Amino acid sequence: MIVEQIWTGNSGRNFFYMVACAETGEAVAIDPIDPPKCLAVAKDKGWDITRVFNTHEHADHIAGNDDVIAATGAKLIAPYNAGSRIPRVDEGVREGDHVKIGKTVDLEVIETPGHTPIHISLFGHNDEPHLLCGDTVFNAGVGHCHTGDPNVLYATFRDKIAKMPDGTRIYPGHDYISNNLQFTLDREPDNADAKALLADVEGQDPDAALVTTLGTERKVNTFMRLDSAGVVAGIKEKFPDLPDTPSDEDIFLSLRLLRNDW
Ligand SMILES: [Zn+2]
């Protein structure tokens, strides 16, 4: 299974992805917001893009669909419940469906709503596990909920992300790692793992960005550290009306609120 992370260099700091079968060269373009770059990578690698896949409906994930499809004849796959949010969908997919690419790649569809109501991610079972997670998990952060629901995003993390193995490689839709690690350190100034990682990635070339694992995220991503004494104490200080022993959900929602204005 080949996963190519492609940096766009746009103002939204978007990444998009191509996943290809090493045996057949068949490829799927995931949220290909920069069609010239997408088509150039396919040409360079000798890949045949047969499908475009959207994780969710935001313009910075779907606006490249038409040009890639016009150039390749690819079919468009999107969440089954996209409706008019994503135009011209050929195939809708839902929890538990599998997207097979060539002979070797099998991506499982995981519904991960919260950032938007219809958001889906792809979990690759080949080799080491991979999670192509759109705007659900970011390096050291999570997606905003301006067009979604933070309660639903919490449930996605509790019920889905928390159950994935530590070795899962994380492929997010944007490069926000430095800013997010600074938020972690604002909440947990003594987090040595976050300090060390920030020193490693500050000023990194996003064309060769570090790919983290869930094991690393569990050490440096505040939204996955809901039982850390430091995180809980900091939230209780900011939100004195919370119960004496706040729930994980209370902490997650409070962190999401703080991050909105941070
Ligand atoms: Zn989005």
Side-chain angles (χ1 to χ4, degrees):
M1 171 168 166
I2 304 169
V3 181
E4 188 83 9
Q5 180 177 57
I6 301 163
W7 167 243
T8 60
N10 69 8
S11 60
R13 305 191 65 78
N14 282 77
F15 289 124
F16 71 92
Y17 295 89
M18 297 178 73
V19 178
C21 169
E23 274 188 38
T24 66
E26 184 180 349
V28 170
I30 300 171
D31 296 342
I33 182 62
D34 188 328
K37 273 195 180 172
C38 178
L39 298 171
V41 169
K43 190 174 176 199
D44 181 52
K45 308 270 187 189
W47 291 343
D48 179 21
I49 301 171
T50 58
R51 282 164 289 176
V52 168
F53 182 94
N54 288 145
T55 57
H56 66 294
E57 69 273 35
H58 284 158
D60 62 327
H61 293 254
I62 69 171
N65 290 353
D66 287 351
D67 284 358
V68 173
I69 288 168
T72 60
K75 299 285 187 207
L76 178 59
I77 312 177
Y80 74 97
N81 50 355
S84 59
R85 294 163 192 258
I86 301 179
R88 295 177 286 285
V89 175
D90 293 299
E91 184 191 349
V93 289
R94 65 176 68 226
E95 180 85 16
D97 284 348
H98 286 256
V99 177
K100 297 194 172 174
I101 307 168
K103 292 183 184 166
T104 59
V105 180
D106 179 357
L107 300 174
E108 182 182 350
V109 174
I110 315 273
E111 291 177 19
T112 53
H115 173 66
T116 79
I118 65 165
H119 195 296
I120 54 180
S121 299
L122 291 172
F123 190 90
H125 292 275
N126 302 74
D127 313 324
E128 52 209 341
H130 295 64
L131 184 66
L132 295 133
C133 43
D135 291 355
T136 297
V137 185
F138 291 132
N139 299 124
V142 302
H144 70 67
C145 298
H146 304 322
T147 54
D149 182 334
N151 299 281
V152 174
L153 188 66
Y154 169 71
T156 285
F157 275 80
R158 180 195 59 203
D159 299 341
K160 309 268 176 81
I161 308 296
K163 292 175 180 163
M164 294 175 185
D166 275 348
T168 306
R169 291 164 68 82
I170 297 297
Y171 292 98
H174 296 263
D175 171 36
Y176 297 151
I177 190 167
S178 292
N179 207 23
N180 283 341
L181 284 168
Q182 285 166 21
F183 179 70
T184 294
L185 289 169
D186 181 64
R187 297 289 83 220
E188 274 187 295
D190 297 332
N191 186 322
D193 294 306
K195 270 187 210 168
L197 188 59
L198 182 59
D200 278 352
V201 299
E202 245 179 351
Q204 76 172 350
D205 175 3
D207 257 324
L210 174 78
V211 174
T212 67
T213 62
L214 266 184
T216 298
E217 293 299 329
R218 286 170 178 143
K219 293 177 184 164
V220 304
N221 191 324
T222 320
F223 292 87
M224 298 185 192
R225 300 178 53 74
L226 306 178
D227 56 359
S228 150
V231 171
V232 173
I235 287 296
K236 284 174 72 173
E237 200 179 307
K238 288 271 184 187
F239 298 90
D241 293 341
L242 282 177
D244 276 351
T245 311
S247 67
D248 284 357
E249 185 168 14
D250 290 333
I251 300 292
F252 185 97
L253 297 176
S254 303
L255 285 169
R256 190 53 271 175
L257 268 180
L258 277 183
R259 183 68 179 78
N260 288 345
D261 298 321
W262 186 78

